[in-house]
Amino acid sequence: MTTSAIGATVPQAVVTRRRPLRSAVRRPGFWLPAGVLTVVLLVALFPGFFAGLFGHGDPRVCDLG
């Protein structure tokens, strides 16, 4: 009897708090920061690949003339 009474009185707000990631993924404001964070993590993990895209890739090679 106690478990059915407790289960029936749980408000809807408590039920939605149990899955915060699922509710965040459904919101459009989640995807832009997630994409920026993904790009930053990729640059941190593979700096050599991205350095080649933005110059020579070797900091010692430069044309001062």
Side-chain angles (χ1 to χ4, degrees):
M1 182 168 155
T2 307
T3 57
S4 64
I6 292 172
T9 60
V10 174
Q12 183 63 25
V14 173
V15 174
T16 57
R17 284 189 218 153
R18 292 182 183 167
R19 300 185 190 261
L21 183 62
R22 182 177 289 178
S23 65
V25 169
R26 291 181 182 177
R27 296 181 181 168
F30 172 80
W31 290 105
L32 182 65
V36 170
L37 184 62
T38 302
V39 170
V40 168
L41 286 174
L42 285 174
V43 170
L45 290 174
F46 305 107
F49 175 74
F50 291 98
L53 294 175
F54 300 108
H56 294 288
D58 186 7
R60 296 173 296 220
V61 177
C62 61
D63 184 19
L64 297 176

